[in-house]
Amino acid sequence: MEGIIGLILVIVFGLILFGAFRFLSEKYAGTRYHGRFDASEAFQRSDQEKQELELFIQVDPDAVRRAMERCKKKKYSLTHGNILAEMRKESDH
């Protein structure tokens, strides 16, 4: 029984480490990981974020600039997703 609990704990700990690695690599290195068959969804998501950011640049360039400054302050990579996430955080407050 102890061996099964230990194995489950190792698996859960590994999944947590993997999730933390993915989160940190997306925020700080600007990389995203996807499976072999998820590439089309990843490209669609990237295009969608790019279009959304371009729209915000036309509508409210000051908000985009402030979001970019917060990304730089936090040492995040200046990706479309990170900039949009910072803009969403600002609008929530």
Side-chain angles (χ1 to χ4, degrees), residues 62-93:
D62 289 333
V64 175
R65 182 185 45 77
R66 288 191 305 270
M68 290 175 72
E69 288 173 0
R70 280 194 307 280
C71 284
K72 288 178 185 177
K73 183 178 177 183
K74 294 178 180 181
K75 307 246 189 298
Y76 288 171
S77 179
L78 290 177
T79 61
H80 300 126
N82 286 343
I83 295 169
L84 290 171
E86 288 299 318
M87 289 179 68
R88 288 183 191 111
K89 287 179 189 176
E90 181 180 301
S91 67
D92 289 342
H93 289 114

mmCIF file of all heavy atoms in Angstrom, residues 62-93:
data_model
loop_
_atom_site.group_PDB
_atom_site.id
_atom_site.type_symbol
_atom_site.label_atom_id
_atom_site.label_comp_id
_atom_site.label_asym_id
_atom_site.label_seq_id
_atom_site.Cartn_x
_atom_site.Cartn_y
_atom_site.Cartn_z
ATOM 1 N N ASP A 62 -2.457 53.502 -25.228
ATOM 2 C CA ASP A 62 -1.886 53.748 -23.894
ATOM 3 C C ASP A 62 -2.004 52.518 -22.998
ATOM 4 O O ASP A 62 -1.092 52.208 -22.234
ATOM 5 C CB ASP A 62 -2.574 54.936 -23.226
ATOM 6 C CG ASP A 62 -2.209 56.258 -23.882
ATOM 7 O OD1 ASP A 62 -1.101 56.339 -24.460
ATOM 8 O OD2 ASP A 62 -3.028 57.190 -23.819
ATOM 9 N N ALA A 63 -3.108 51.807 -23.088
ATOM 10 C CA ALA A 63 -3.281 50.590 -22.291
ATOM 11 C C ALA A 63 -2.271 49.529 -22.720
ATOM 12 O O ALA A 63 -1.724 48.813 -21.880
ATOM 13 C CB ALA A 63 -4.701 50.060 -22.439
ATOM 14 N N VAL A 64 -2.024 49.438 -24.023
ATOM 15 C CA VAL A 64 -1.041 48.480 -24.527
ATOM 16 C C VAL A 64 0.351 48.867 -24.021
ATOM 17 O O VAL A 64 1.122 48.008 -23.580
ATOM 18 C CB VAL A 64 -1.073 48.414 -26.073
ATOM 19 C CG1 VAL A 64 0.020 47.513 -26.598
ATOM 20 C CG2 VAL A 64 -2.436 47.950 -26.559
ATOM 21 N N ARG A 65 0.674 50.139 -24.056
ATOM 22 C CA ARG A 65 1.978 50.607 -23.592
ATOM 23 C C ARG A 65 2.158 50.299 -22.104
ATOM 24 O O ARG A 65 3.208 49.818 -21.682
ATOM 25 C CB ARG A 65 2.118 52.109 -23.845
ATOM 26 C CG ARG A 65 3.462 52.689 -23.449
ATOM 27 C CD ARG A 65 3.511 54.204 -23.595
ATOM 28 N NE ARG A 65 2.341 54.903 -23.060
ATOM 29 C CZ ARG A 65 2.112 55.128 -21.761
ATOM 30 N NH1 ARG A 65 2.956 54.681 -20.864
ATOM 31 N NH2 ARG A 65 1.033 55.785 -21.375
ATOM 32 N N ARG A 66 1.113 50.557 -21.295
ATOM 33 C CA ARG A 66 1.197 50.267 -19.859
ATOM 34 C C ARG A 66 1.367 48.770 -19.608
ATOM 35 O O ARG A 66 2.143 48.365 -18.734
ATOM 36 C CB ARG A 66 -0.053 50.780 -19.145
ATOM 37 C CG ARG A 66 -0.122 52.293 -19.033
ATOM 38 C CD ARG A 66 -1.235 52.745 -18.096
ATOM 39 N NE ARG A 66 -2.548 52.220 -18.441
ATOM 40 C CZ ARG A 66 -3.416 52.827 -19.254
ATOM 41 N NH1 ARG A 66 -3.107 53.980 -19.809
ATOM 42 N NH2 ARG A 66 -4.593 52.278 -19.502
ATOM 43 N N ALA A 67 0.659 47.951 -20.376
ATOM 44 C CA ALA A 67 0.783 46.502 -20.221
ATOM 45 C C ALA A 67 2.193 46.041 -20.594
ATOM 46 O O ALA A 67 2.768 45.178 -19.922
ATOM 47 C CB ALA A 67 -0.256 45.791 -21.084
ATOM 48 N N MET A 68 2.752 46.633 -21.643
ATOM 49 C CA MET A 68 4.119 46.282 -22.035
ATOM 50 C C MET A 68 5.118 46.700 -20.959
ATOM 51 O O MET A 68 6.070 45.960 -20.667
ATOM 52 C CB MET A 68 4.464 46.920 -23.378
ATOM 53 C CG MET A 68 3.712 46.304 -24.544
ATOM 54 S SD MET A 68 3.998 47.151 -26.108
ATOM 55 C CE MET A 68 5.663 46.641 -26.450
ATOM 56 N N GLU A 69 4.898 47.842 -20.341
ATOM 57 C CA GLU A 69 5.776 48.290 -19.264
ATOM 58 C C GLU A 69 5.707 47.344 -18.069
ATOM 59 O O GLU A 69 6.727 47.036 -17.452
ATOM 60 C CB GLU A 69 5.415 49.712 -18.839
ATOM 61 C CG GLU A 69 5.797 50.765 -19.858
ATOM 62 C CD GLU A 69 5.290 52.157 -19.507
ATOM 63 O OE1 GLU A 69 4.631 52.321 -18.445
ATOM 64 O OE2 GLU A 69 5.530 53.072 -20.299
ATOM 65 N N ARG A 70 4.491 46.868 -17.745
ATOM 66 C CA ARG A 70 4.359 45.912 -16.635
ATOM 67 C C ARG A 70 5.052 44.598 -16.968
ATOM 68 O O ARG A 70 5.676 43.986 -16.101
ATOM 69 C CB ARG A 70 2.884 45.690 -16.303
ATOM 70 C CG ARG A 70 2.302 46.788 -15.451
ATOM 71 C CD ARG A 70 0.965 46.399 -14.854
ATOM 72 N NE ARG A 70 -0.005 45.932 -15.844
ATOM 73 C CZ ARG A 70 -0.733 46.734 -16.622
ATOM 74 N NH1 ARG A 70 -0.593 48.034 -16.527
ATOM 75 N NH2 ARG A 70 -1.592 46.237 -17.470
ATOM 76 N N CYS A 71 4.955 44.168 -18.227
ATOM 77 C CA CYS A 71 5.651 42.942 -18.638
ATOM 78 C C CYS A 71 7.160 43.107 -18.484
ATOM 79 O O CYS A 71 7.845 42.210 -17.993
ATOM 80 C CB CYS A 71 5.312 42.588 -20.083
ATOM 81 S SG CYS A 71 3.684 41.868 -20.326
ATOM 82 N N LYS A 72 7.673 44.241 -18.905
ATOM 83 C CA LYS A 72 9.113 44.495 -18.780
ATOM 84 C C LYS A 72 9.523 44.561 -17.310
ATOM 85 O O LYS A 72 10.572 44.035 -16.927
ATOM 86 C CB LYS A 72 9.487 45.799 -19.478
ATOM 87 C CG LYS A 72 9.444 45.707 -20.987
ATOM 88 C CD LYS A 72 9.782 47.051 -21.618
ATOM 89 C CE LYS A 72 9.628 47.007 -23.123
ATOM 90 N NZ LYS A 72 9.879 48.321 -23.735
ATOM 91 N N LYS A 73 8.693 45.190 -16.482
ATOM 92 C CA LYS A 73 8.990 45.309 -15.056
ATOM 93 C C LYS A 73 9.032 43.936 -14.395
ATOM 94 O O LYS A 73 9.873 43.675 -13.535
ATOM 95 C CB LYS A 73 7.931 46.184 -14.392
ATOM 96 C CG LYS A 73 8.169 46.438 -12.934
ATOM 97 C CD LYS A 73 7.088 47.345 -12.379
ATOM 98 C CE LYS A 73 7.280 47.550 -10.883
ATOM 99 N NZ LYS A 73 6.199 48.364 -10.320
ATOM 100 N N LYS A 74 8.130 43.054 -14.816
ATOM 101 C CA LYS A 74 8.082 41.702 -14.262
ATOM 102 C C LYS A 74 9.070 40.761 -14.953
ATOM 103 O O LYS A 74 9.163 39.595 -14.598
ATOM 104 C CB LYS A 74 6.676 41.127 -14.406
ATOM 105 C CG LYS A 74 5.652 41.849 -13.576
ATOM 106 C CD LYS A 74 4.277 41.252 -13.796
ATOM 107 C CE LYS A 74 3.223 41.959 -12.984
ATOM 108 N NZ LYS A 74 1.886 41.370 -13.184
ATOM 109 N N LYS A 75 9.779 41.273 -15.967
ATOM 110 C CA LYS A 75 10.745 40.505 -16.762
ATOM 111 C C LYS A 75 10.075 39.392 -17.579
ATOM 112 O O LYS A 75 10.672 38.367 -17.873
ATOM 113 C CB LYS A 75 11.834 39.917 -15.869
ATOM 114 C CG LYS A 75 12.529 40.918 -14.984
ATOM 115 C CD LYS A 75 13.950 41.079 -15.340
ATOM 116 C CE LYS A 75 14.743 41.901 -14.366
ATOM 117 N NZ LYS A 75 14.363 43.255 -14.180
ATOM 118 N N TYR A 76 8.800 39.616 -17.938
ATOM 119 C CA TYR A 76 8.093 38.689 -18.811
ATOM 120 C C TYR A 76 8.527 38.922 -20.251
ATOM 121 O O TYR A 76 8.907 40.029 -20.630
ATOM 122 C CB TYR A 76 6.578 38.901 -18.748
ATOM 123 C CG TYR A 76 5.904 38.455 -17.474
ATOM 124 C CD1 TYR A 76 4.583 38.776 -17.239
ATOM 125 C CD2 TYR A 76 6.560 37.713 -16.515
ATOM 126 C CE1 TYR A 76 3.939 38.380 -16.082
ATOM 127 C CE2 TYR A 76 5.931 37.311 -15.356
ATOM 128 C CZ TYR A 76 4.618 37.645 -15.151
ATOM 129 O OH TYR A 76 3.980 37.249 -14.015
ATOM 130 N N SER A 77 8.402 37.909 -21.060
ATOM 131 C CA SER A 77 8.641 38.040 -22.484
ATOM 132 C C SER A 77 7.500 38.862 -23.094
ATOM 133 O O SER A 77 6.353 38.733 -22.691
ATOM 134 C CB SER A 77 8.675 36.651 -23.119
ATOM 135 O OG SER A 77 8.877 36.738 -24.490
ATOM 136 N N LEU A 78 7.817 39.708 -24.061
ATOM 137 C CA LEU A 78 6.794 40.564 -24.673
ATOM 138 C C LEU A 78 6.060 39.819 -25.782
ATOM 139 O O LEU A 78 6.124 40.169 -26.954
ATOM 140 C CB LEU A 78 7.423 41.855 -25.213
ATOM 141 C CG LEU A 78 7.920 42.837 -24.169
ATOM 142 C CD1 LEU A 78 8.591 44.023 -24.827
ATOM 143 C CD2 LEU A 78 6.788 43.297 -23.283
ATOM 144 N N THR A 79 5.325 38.804 -25.414
ATOM 145 C CA THR A 79 4.516 38.067 -26.372
ATOM 146 C C THR A 79 3.106 38.647 -26.371
ATOM 147 O O THR A 79 2.709 39.352 -25.442
ATOM 148 C CB THR A 79 4.443 36.574 -26.007
ATOM 149 O OG1 THR A 79 3.848 36.440 -24.720
ATOM 150 C CG2 THR A 79 5.824 35.938 -26.007
ATOM 151 N N HIS A 80 2.365 38.323 -27.409
ATOM 152 C CA HIS A 80 0.984 38.803 -27.495
ATOM 153 C C HIS A 80 0.177 38.341 -26.287
ATOM 154 O O HIS A 80 -0.584 39.103 -25.704
ATOM 155 C CB HIS A 80 0.315 38.313 -28.780
ATOM 156 C CG HIS A 80 1.003 38.763 -30.022
ATOM 157 N ND1 HIS A 80 1.413 37.885 -30.980
ATOM 158 C CD2 HIS A 80 1.376 39.989 -30.448
ATOM 159 C CE1 HIS A 80 1.994 38.551 -31.959
ATOM 160 N NE2 HIS A 80 1.990 39.834 -31.647
ATOM 161 N N GLY A 81 0.356 37.086 -25.919
ATOM 162 C CA GLY A 81 -0.403 36.521 -24.804
ATOM 163 C C GLY A 81 -0.092 37.196 -23.480
ATOM 164 O O GLY A 81 -0.990 37.471 -22.687
ATOM 165 N N ASN A 82 1.181 37.474 -23.225
ATOM 166 C CA ASN A 82 1.553 38.123 -21.969
ATOM 167 C C ASN A 82 1.030 39.554 -21.909
ATOM 168 O O ASN A 82 0.545 40.003 -20.869
ATOM 169 C CB ASN A 82 3.073 38.124 -21.793
ATOM 170 C CG ASN A 82 3.616 36.756 -21.427
ATOM 171 O OD1 ASN A 82 2.874 35.883 -21.010
ATOM 172 N ND2 ASN A 82 4.906 36.584 -21.589
ATOM 173 N N ILE A 83 1.113 40.270 -23.011
ATOM 174 C CA ILE A 83 0.626 41.649 -23.037
ATOM 175 C C ILE A 83 -0.889 41.673 -22.828
ATOM 176 O O ILE A 83 -1.413 42.470 -22.040
ATOM 177 C CB ILE A 83 1.016 42.349 -24.354
ATOM 178 C CG1 ILE A 83 2.540 42.485 -24.440
ATOM 179 C CG2 ILE A 83 0.353 43.711 -24.471
ATOM 180 C CD1 ILE A 83 3.057 42.911 -25.796
ATOM 181 N N LEU A 84 -1.592 40.781 -23.508
ATOM 182 C CA LEU A 84 -3.048 40.726 -23.333
ATOM 183 C C LEU A 84 -3.427 40.327 -21.908
ATOM 184 O O LEU A 84 -4.391 40.846 -21.346
ATOM 185 C CB LEU A 84 -3.661 39.759 -24.346
ATOM 186 C CG LEU A 84 -3.642 40.225 -25.796
ATOM 187 C CD1 LEU A 84 -4.068 39.098 -26.720
ATOM 188 C CD2 LEU A 84 -4.535 41.436 -25.981
ATOM 189 N N ALA A 85 -2.664 39.413 -21.319
ATOM 190 C CA ALA A 85 -2.946 39.002 -19.942
ATOM 191 C C ALA A 85 -2.779 40.174 -18.984
ATOM 192 O O ALA A 85 -3.597 40.363 -18.069
ATOM 193 C CB ALA A 85 -2.030 37.849 -19.540
ATOM 194 N N GLU A 86 -1.743 40.976 -19.183
ATOM 195 C CA GLU A 86 -1.545 42.146 -18.329
ATOM 196 C C GLU A 86 -2.648 43.176 -18.547
ATOM 197 O O GLU A 86 -3.075 43.840 -17.599
ATOM 198 C CB GLU A 86 -0.174 42.771 -18.581
ATOM 199 C CG GLU A 86 0.969 41.940 -18.050
ATOM 200 C CD GLU A 86 0.910 41.729 -16.548
ATOM 201 O OE1 GLU A 86 0.608 42.691 -15.812
ATOM 202 O OE2 GLU A 86 1.155 40.595 -16.115
ATOM 203 N N MET A 87 -3.115 43.316 -19.774
ATOM 204 C CA MET A 87 -4.221 44.245 -20.043
ATOM 205 C C MET A 87 -5.497 43.763 -19.353
ATOM 206 O O MET A 87 -6.258 44.566 -18.813
ATOM 207 C CB MET A 87 -4.442 44.384 -21.544
ATOM 208 C CG MET A 87 -3.338 45.146 -22.241
ATOM 209 S SD MET A 87 -3.584 45.282 -23.997
ATOM 210 C CE MET A 87 -5.005 46.342 -24.045
ATOM 211 N N ARG A 88 -5.730 42.465 -19.368
ATOM 212 C CA ARG A 88 -6.920 41.920 -18.699
ATOM 213 C C ARG A 88 -6.844 42.127 -17.199
ATOM 214 O O ARG A 88 -7.845 42.415 -16.545
ATOM 215 C CB ARG A 88 -7.066 40.439 -19.028
ATOM 216 C CG ARG A 88 -7.499 40.206 -20.456
ATOM 217 C CD ARG A 88 -7.720 38.711 -20.731
ATOM 218 N NE ARG A 88 -7.882 38.517 -22.158
ATOM 219 C CZ ARG A 88 -6.993 37.896 -22.936
ATOM 220 N NH1 ARG A 88 -5.898 37.385 -22.425
ATOM 221 N NH2 ARG A 88 -7.220 37.773 -24.228
ATOM 222 N N LYS A 89 -5.636 41.964 -16.624
ATOM 223 C CA LYS A 89 -5.477 42.187 -15.185
ATOM 224 C C LYS A 89 -5.791 43.632 -14.820
ATOM 225 O O LYS A 89 -6.405 43.892 -13.795
ATOM 226 C CB LYS A 89 -4.046 41.855 -14.751
ATOM 227 C CG LYS A 89 -3.743 40.391 -14.718
ATOM 228 C CD LYS A 89 -2.304 40.176 -14.303
ATOM 229 C CE LYS A 89 -1.888 38.726 -14.455
ATOM 230 N NZ LYS A 89 -0.454 38.553 -14.131
ATOM 231 N N GLU A 90 -5.346 44.576 -15.673
ATOM 232 C CA GLU A 90 -5.599 45.977 -15.405
ATOM 233 C C GLU A 90 -7.088 46.283 -15.487
ATOM 234 O O GLU A 90 -7.617 47.049 -14.688
ATOM 235 C CB GLU A 90 -4.846 46.855 -16.407
ATOM 236 C CG GLU A 90 -5.051 48.337 -16.170
ATOM 237 C CD GLU A 90 -4.304 49.189 -17.176
ATOM 238 O OE1 GLU A 90 -3.086 49.064 -17.241
ATOM 239 O OE2 GLU A 90 -4.989 49.947 -17.898
ATOM 240 N N SER A 91 -7.780 45.680 -16.443
ATOM 241 C CA SER A 91 -9.205 45.969 -16.597
ATOM 242 C C SER A 91 -10.029 45.343 -15.468
ATOM 243 O O SER A 91 -11.124 45.812 -15.180
ATOM 244 C CB SER A 91 -9.716 45.471 -17.956
ATOM 245 O OG SER A 91 -9.688 44.065 -18.016
ATOM 246 N N ASP A 92 -9.494 44.287 -14.816
ATOM 247 C CA ASP A 92 -10.193 43.669 -13.696
ATOM 248 C C ASP A 92 -10.137 44.530 -12.437
ATOM 249 O O ASP A 92 -10.987 44.424 -11.574
ATOM 250 C CB ASP A 92 -9.612 42.296 -13.378
ATOM 251 C CG ASP A 92 -9.956 41.284 -14.461
ATOM 252 O OD1 ASP A 92 -10.896 41.540 -15.250
ATOM 253 O OD2 ASP A 92 -9.282 40.224 -14.526
ATOM 254 N N HIS A 93 -9.145 45.378 -12.342
ATOM 255 C CA HIS A 93 -9.003 46.208 -11.140
ATOM 256 C C HIS A 93 -9.796 47.445 -11.234
ATOM 257 O O HIS A 93 -10.259 48.117 -11.822
ATOM 258 C CB HIS A 93 -7.534 46.536 -10.876
ATOM 259 C CG HIS A 93 -6.783 45.346 -10.409
ATOM 260 N ND1 HIS A 93 -5.788 44.778 -11.142
ATOM 261 C CD2 HIS A 93 -6.896 44.588 -9.296
ATOM 262 C CE1 HIS A 93 -5.304 43.746 -10.501
ATOM 263 N NE2 HIS A 93 -5.964 43.607 -9.369
#
